[in-house]
């Protein structure tokens, strides 16, 4: 069955992805959170997720001047990778995290180690020990779940390692750690109910514990000790050093070549496509400005994509395809642009 969003999906996924490149350039960093998951869904539903992710990863490595900033911050590559893995990897997150999250939430123990936040009557040394044991539990569960890791996530880690090794061989573990621990697992530890790890609300004291656990695991993944900025975390530095070799072995296995299985089938997400539809229509003039440059860079006939883009946008901007509020915003924007021309 052909999706009603086919014209929109085809616009972004056909012919060397000129429109995708132009849309990324035309999108502000604030709107990348809208664009990234929608593009990931469009390409995955079209069975072409590698056609989106591989060029984005390559571009990120080639355009980065310092190893420490690879796949960090607001880059489109990180956001798209994260959105895609969240969409296909929720079951794996459950397998890794449900048991340790449930333990922290339900077993009576205190984890606060910041003296400024320590409730009266609690012992900070006991809490440090509780936190260490919880980190052990989380890491153990993450590592033993590796055989259940979706092959596509392992293939992405392998691709990341190969790309980064060419330019920044000393940063391969940091980049895999940044992607797997910081971007993929970290948010699900802090907000497990938001990632379907559990189906109940986390109590506030457990939430604070999960935040602290996530901090330690992310530092282990990055191979970085805590410093003066978070002095109260310094007692965990020996644990970080102890766990780094173990985690590096885990990353080696995680990023080892797999059978290159086909990525899993992904259904079109109507909510994401609706956001992409609106985003495309509202910034269509900005996208058009970038199309010509993309055509030139890619050696395409100038104007070859512009005509197709204009036709599809005219179709997408029909009142019947938009909410009344969104359509009014679009018409108002068109009117303002006409005024600027005159």
């Amino acid at each position: 069955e052909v999706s009603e969003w086919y014209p929109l999906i085809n616009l972004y996924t056909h012919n060397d992805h000129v429109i995708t490149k132009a849309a990324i350039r035309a999108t502000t960093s604030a709107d990348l959170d809208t664009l990234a998951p929608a593009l990931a869904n469009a390409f995955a539903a079209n069975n072409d997720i590698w056609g989106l992710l591989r060029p984005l990863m390559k571009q990120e490595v080639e355009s980065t001047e310092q190893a420490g900033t690879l796949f960090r911050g607001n880059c489109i590559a990180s956001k798209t990778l994260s959105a895609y893995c969240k969409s296909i990897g929720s079951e794996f997150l459950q397998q890794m995290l449900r048991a340790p999250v449930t333990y922290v939430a339900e077993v009576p123990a205190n984890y606060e180690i910041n003296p400024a936040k320590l409730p009266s009557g609690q012992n900070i040394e006991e809490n440090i020990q509780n936190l260490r044991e919880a980190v052990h539990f989380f890491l153990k569960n993450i590592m033993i779940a590796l055989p259940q890791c979706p092959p596509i996530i392992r293939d992405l880690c392998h691709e990341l390692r190969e790309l980064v090794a060419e330019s920044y061989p000393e940063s391969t573990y940091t980049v895999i750690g940044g992607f797997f621990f910081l971007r993929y697992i970290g948010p699900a530890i802090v907000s497990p109910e938001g990632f379907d790890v559990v189906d109940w609300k986390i109590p506030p004291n457990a939430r604070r514990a999960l935040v602290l656990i996530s901090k330690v695991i992310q530092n282990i993944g990055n191979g970085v000790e805590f410093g003066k900025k978070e002095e109260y975390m310094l007692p965990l530095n020996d644990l970080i050093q102890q766990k780094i070799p173990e985690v590096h072995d885990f990353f080696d296995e995680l990023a080892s070549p797999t059978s290159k299985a086909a990525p899993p089938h992904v259904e079109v997400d109507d909510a994401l496509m609706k956001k992409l539809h609106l985003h495309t229509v509202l910034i269509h003039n900005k996208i058009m400005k970038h199309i010509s440059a993309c055509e030139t860079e890619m050696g395409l006939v100038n104007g070859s994509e512009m005509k197709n883009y204009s036709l599809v946008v005219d179709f997408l901007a029909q009142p019947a395809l938009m909410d009344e509020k969104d359509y009014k915003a679009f018409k108002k924007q068109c009117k303002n642009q006409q005024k600027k021309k005159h």
Side-chain angles (χ1 to χ4, degrees):
E1 187 181 341
V2 177
S3 167
E4 64 178 306
W5 297 109
Y6 175 75
L8 180 66
I9 292 171
N10 186 56
L11 178 71
Y12 277 94
T13 58
H14 91 298
N15 196 24
D16 297 321
H17 313 150
V18 172
I19 307 302
T20 293
K21 292 180 176 74
I24 289 170
R25 293 180 188 184
T27 300
T28 63
S29 57
D31 285 332
L32 286 179
D33 286 328
T34 297
L35 185 64
L39 286 180
N41 182 250
F43 276 79
N46 204 48
N47 299 314
D48 189 24
I49 192 61
W50 280 111
L52 174 68
L53 295 181
R54 190 174 276 122
L56 287 180
M57 291 191 290
K58 194 165 185 285
Q59 181 191 7
E60 171 65 11
V61 173
E62 290 174 353
S63 63
T64 299
E65 294 177 2
Q66 291 182 311
T69 60
L70 277 166
F71 296 94
R72 297 301 169 102
N74 276 331
C75 78
I76 182 71
S78 286
K79 287 181 180 293
T80 311
L81 273 169
S82 302
Y84 176 67
C85 288
K86 182 183 177 183
S87 72
I88 56 97
S90 62
E91 195 175 317
F92 182 47
L93 285 173
Q94 288 173 19
Q95 289 165 332
M96 289 187 287
L97 302 178
R98 180 171 283 174
V101 165
T102 303
Y103 175 84
V104 167
E106 294 183 355
V107 175
N110 298 311
Y111 297 92
E112 185 56 71
I113 64 170
N114 184 348
K117 295 185 177 183
L118 191 72
S120 61
Q122 288 189 19
N123 183 305
I124 209 159
E125 294 302 322
E126 283 180 16
N127 291 6
I128 289 171
Q129 186 56 33
N130 290 340
L131 186 56
R132 293 169 76 93
E133 288 173 7
V135 170
H136 276 290
F137 190 4
F138 271 83
L139 285 176
K140 180 186 171 190
N141 253 50
I142 289 166
M143 289 176 185
I144 62 174
L146 182 61
Q148 280 75 52
C149 180
I152 183 65
I153 291 180
R154 298 185 69 170
D155 289 340
L156 285 169
C157 288
H158 177 67
E159 189 84 10
L160 273 174
R161 185 170 70 176
E162 295 295 295
L163 282 170
V164 172
E166 290 175 23
S167 307
Y168 304 101
E170 73 289 352
S171 296
T172 53
Y173 289 128
T174 309
V175 169
I176 294 171
F179 161 59
F180 192 74
F181 277 171
L182 176 66
R183 294 280 185 177
Y184 178 50
I185 292 181
I189 293 176
V190 173
S191 181
E193 66 271 61
F195 287 77
D196 297 325
V197 172
V198 297
D199 56 5
W200 36 269
K201 190 163 175 58
I202 299 292
N205 61 327
R207 178 89 64 204
R208 173 62 179 163
L210 294 173
V211 168
L212 293 171
I213 291 162
S214 178
K215 281 176 184 282
V216 180
I217 288 176
Q218 285 173 25
N219 274 36
I220 294 170
N222 290 331
V224 176
E225 292 186 355
F226 290 105
K228 289 193 173 181
K229 188 180 172 187
E230 292 180 299
E231 249 183 275
Y232 64 92
M233 299 294 285
L234 292 176
L236 280 303
N237 280 346
D238 66 318
L239 178 64
I240 290 171
Q241 288 302 330
Q242 177 194 332
K243 288 292 180 184
I244 285 173
E246 200 178 326
V247 166
H248 282 184
D249 288 345
F250 171 75
F251 288 163
D252 285 337
E253 200 173 343
L254 178 70
S256 60
T258 70
S259 58
K260 292 284 180 189
H265 176 68
V266 171
E267 296 288 346
V268 174
D269 185 314
D270 286 340
L272 288 176
M273 289 305 101
K274 189 174 180 182
K275 288 179 182 179
L276 182 61
H277 175 192
L278 181 60
H279 183 69
T280 304
V281 170
L282 291 181
I283 67 161
H284 71 283
N285 275 0
K286 290 181 181 177
I287 292 175
M288 288 175 84
K289 286 177 184 175
H290 288 282
I291 289 175
S292 295
C294 290
E295 287 172 340
T296 303
E297 286 169 21
M298 298 168 74
L300 299 172
V301 176
N302 206 262
S304 58
E305 277 301 296
M306 191 73 79
K307 187 177 179 184
N308 175 52
Y309 179 71
S310 298
L311 286 170
V312 176
V313 168
D314 285 346
F315 169 74
L316 294 173
Q318 293 178 87
L321 296 178
M322 298 178 73
D323 290 342
E324 187 179 355
K325 178 171 71 93
D326 295 336
Y327 183 70
K328 283 180 179 176
F330 168 65
K331 295 306 287 183
K332 184 179 179 182
Q333 185 196 69
C334 291
K335 197 179 286 186
N336 291 339
Q337 281 157 357
Q338 285 298 323
K339 283 180 185 174
K340 284 178 186 176
K341 284 181 184 176
H342 300 303

